[in-house]
Amino acid sequence: MLPKHKNKLQQGARLVIAYVLQLRDVRFAGQVLFAVVVILVSWSGVKAIDANYLLQKQIVALQQQSDVQQLENDNMKLQNDYYKSDQYLELSARQNSGLAAPGERELIVPKDVALSYTVAEPKPTVPHSSAKLPTYQRNLQAWVNFFLHRPTPQD
């Protein structure tokens, strides 16, 4: 077995020597140097593209925040203008202080009189009693009521 391993070691040594001698060749060394330079330039370009992409994402996020803040500021400005308007001041005086414009009178109507002029809302009716339906139809109707968010009739 020893001569077999010795033979393999000699072949490996020859291979290493062939690679080392190949490095001495100017054409091969130039190709290796060119490949290294291309890889370094490509890596640098990829890193620059990645950095630009991340910065662009940050810029877009900050612009969106700025736009939202500008809209909130505009909303507050409009709200402040409304609070300074005569219309708001009049409404506020009527609601909070009980004040009225000159020549206006306040009428107090009793609750029972006011309710006598209203119409009662009709109660929804179930078209047919669920007790008369077979079980499978009641079950089907219960599912339909569930999915349509209808109240279920109490038996």
Side-chain angles (χ1 to χ4, degrees), residues 88-103:
Y88 174 75
L89 293 175
E90 183 178 338
L91 283 173
S92 177
R94 287 176 186 263
Q95 289 176 350
N96 298 331
S97 305
L99 299 177

Side-chain angles (χ1 to χ4, degrees), residues 40-98:
L40 290 175
V41 168
S42 298
W43 184 258
S44 175
V46 167
K47 287 296 230 178
I49 289 170
D50 186 48
N52 287 341
Y53 174 73
L54 293 175
L55 289 173
Q56 188 65 31
K57 275 178 44 176
Q58 289 177 350
I59 288 171
V60 168
L62 290 173
Q63 283 177 341
Q64 287 176 344
Q65 288 177 354
S66 175
D67 291 344
V68 167
Q69 191 62 44
Q70 183 63 38
L71 288 172
E72 287 177 359
N73 290 344
D74 291 345
N75 192 18
M76 291 297 274
K77 185 190 250 184
L78 289 171
Q79 207 171 23
N80 287 338
D81 289 345
Y82 172 69
Y83 289 144
K84 291 177 187 175
S85 71
D86 292 337
Q87 182 183 10
Y88 174 75
L89 293 175
E90 183 178 338
L91 283 173
S92 177
R94 287 176 186 263
Q95 289 176 350
N96 298 331
S97 305

